[in-house]
Amino acid sequence: YARILSALYAAGHYGPVISITADGRELADLPAFEAPPEIADLVVRVSPGPRFAFGRARIAPLAPDTTLPEGFAPGAPALSGLVAQAARAGIEGWRNAGHPKAALARQTLVADHPKARLDADLRLAPGPLLRFGPPDVAGTTQVRAARILAIAGLPVGAVYSPKAVADAEARLRATGTFRAVRLIEGAARGTTLPLRIEVADAPLRRLGAGAELASDEGLALSAFWLHRN
């Protein structure tokens, strides 16, 4: 029932009737611990009902330059996924503007069945404008913490930016030294946001081998041994 209902909501149908019967008995009415030993006839009937449209489609406050999904607008089909996309876009807009603690504070969804209309009101909590605080290093690694911080290159004191965090992760991964890299946002301390850099070293030594067969050159074998300094 839940999966069918979720699929119908995703398509904008908020007043469906779903019936699943086993040998003429509705599954929802069967005792949970008295399932029949066998089922000869299983029937699924779905009446989707009308497709709803957005009556209100509001989200506020929004950061400058926030781009909402195109279908989240009055009169457009009220697909449930668009509500979630709008919330994510609003939060991402505030994060890009230096508010990493932005969150969805309140969500009100009202389905008007006689009018086949869905009113969606989302309220965002931007949180404070924060700057990068001094990061620290954790994890299982033989690399000096000062070197990890230098490679990451986080701009301490600058306004928070998701791109700066992603770039720091990319620089650490590009070294080939770590098998896992993760930057974790801590709790705000005044106007700063401390980050923890968690890394795990890749193996110090690696062995590899390969084989290749070509019609014009025959068989080629290759092998390598790598020692990471």
Side-chain angles (χ1 to χ4, degrees):
Y1 292 96
R3 290 185 182 181
I4 295 173
L5 187 63
S6 178
L8 290 167
Y9 280 7
H13 297 274
Y14 295 91
V17 177
I18 303 169
S19 173
I20 306 176
T21 58
D23 295 330
R25 298 181 64 189
E26 191 69 29
L27 285 186
D29 297 334
L30 294 178
F33 299 101
E34 297 179 15
E38 61 180 29
I39 297 173
D41 187 35
L42 184 69
V43 179
V44 180
R45 296 184 180 89
V46 178
S47 175
R51 193 182 202 190
F52 282 50
F54 282 117
R56 287 194 305 272
R58 297 190 300 205
I59 178 169
L62 291 175
D65 302 322
T66 300
T67 302
L68 295 176
E70 186 175 347
F72 188 71
L79 314 184
S80 62
L82 288 173
V83 179
Q85 291 174 30
R88 287 194 297 268
I91 292 171
E92 192 63 26
W94 281 113
R95 286 177 60 83
N96 289 332
H99 297 255
K101 298 304 181 182
L104 179 64
R106 188 175 69 250
Q107 173 179 281
T108 304
L109 301 174
V110 178
D112 186 333
H113 289 268
K115 296 180 180 178
R117 189 178 79 175
L118 181 74
D119 292 332
D121 288 287
L122 309 179
R123 186 73 182 176
L124 300 178
L129 178 73
L130 298 177
R131 298 179 180 274
F132 285 113
D136 61 3
V137 177
T140 55
T141 179
Q142 296 182 1
V143 182
R144 290 179 293 111
R147 186 62 188 142
I148 292 174
L149 293 175
I151 295 169
L154 283 168
V156 177
V159 173
Y160 171 86
S161 163
K163 184 179 184 302
V165 176
D167 288 347
E169 288 184 340
R171 284 191 290 270
L172 289 167
R173 290 195 178 96
T175 64
T177 302
F178 309 108
R179 63 176 174 82
V181 175
R182 191 167 61 147
L183 270 66
I184 302 173
E185 299 174 3
R189 297 175 183 171
T191 59
T192 62
L193 179 74
L195 273 79
R196 176 184 298 167
I197 302 174
E198 289 191 354
V199 295
D201 284 353
L204 287 173
R205 299 172 181 84
R206 304 177 200 172
L207 295 173
E212 188 174 332
L213 181 63
S215 59
D216 56 344
E217 297 180 358
L219 178 66
L221 302 177
S222 63
F224 73 87
W225 176 77
L226 181 146
H227 183 101
R228 180 171 59 77
N229 185 333

